[in-house]
Amino acid sequence: MHDYPDRMTAPQMRQFRDDVLNIVSQIPRGCVTTYGHIAALAGWPSHARMVGRTLHYTPGAERLPCHRVVNAAGRTAPGWAAQRQMLQAEGVAFKPNGHVDMARHLWIPDL
């Protein structure tokens, strides 16, 4: 399923943004979660790409632990080499293929 941000009304987009930022702020040190998990927690499970856009384009999001968000396979964001270094500094292990060891570090909060 594709992400179509125009399916959200303006109030829904604002609520989605606020929810995404709140969820990201709660990711514990040494853990990661996925764009898809965040989208589902925010009530829009098919909008994983919108999570990435929200984190990229929202002023102030850089003060959140955005480096703890990876894709479903555990890959870090393309073009952000520091993300891996930041995760390793928190004790996050990577597999030989360069992906986060999701079995050890995936954070899914209690609903």
Side-chain angles (χ1 to χ4, degrees):
M1 183 173 264
H2 296 285
D3 293 331
Y4 296 104
D6 56 338
R7 290 194 179 171
M8 286 187 197
T9 64
Q12 289 172 321
M13 289 179 78
R14 286 190 293 275
Q15 185 63 54
F16 181 80
R17 178 201 61 215
D18 293 346
D19 291 345
V20 166
L21 299 178
N22 180 46
I23 294 163
V24 171
S25 73
Q26 298 177 52
I27 304 170
R29 183 176 178 81
C31 295
V32 298
T33 198
T34 69
Y35 298 101
H37 284 129
I38 294 170
L41 288 168
W44 292 84
S46 66
H47 283 63
R49 290 184 180 186
M50 279 295 294
V51 171
R53 289 184 200 117
T54 298
L55 294 175
H56 184 78
Y57 292 110
T58 301
E62 67 278 358
R63 293 188 295 274
L64 297 174
C66 297
H67 64 284
R68 297 177 186 153
V69 182
V70 297
N71 78 5
R75 287 192 306 263
T76 56
W80 188 17
Q83 183 180 14
R84 180 182 174 123
Q85 296 166 344
M86 295 166 78
L87 290 171
Q88 286 177 317
E90 293 183 0
V92 173
F94 284 77
K95 299 189 295 186
N97 66 1
H99 298 183
V100 170
D101 185 340
M102 299 297 276
R104 290 178 55 193
H105 299 287
L106 179 63
W107 174 74
I108 302 175
D110 297 328
L111 299 177

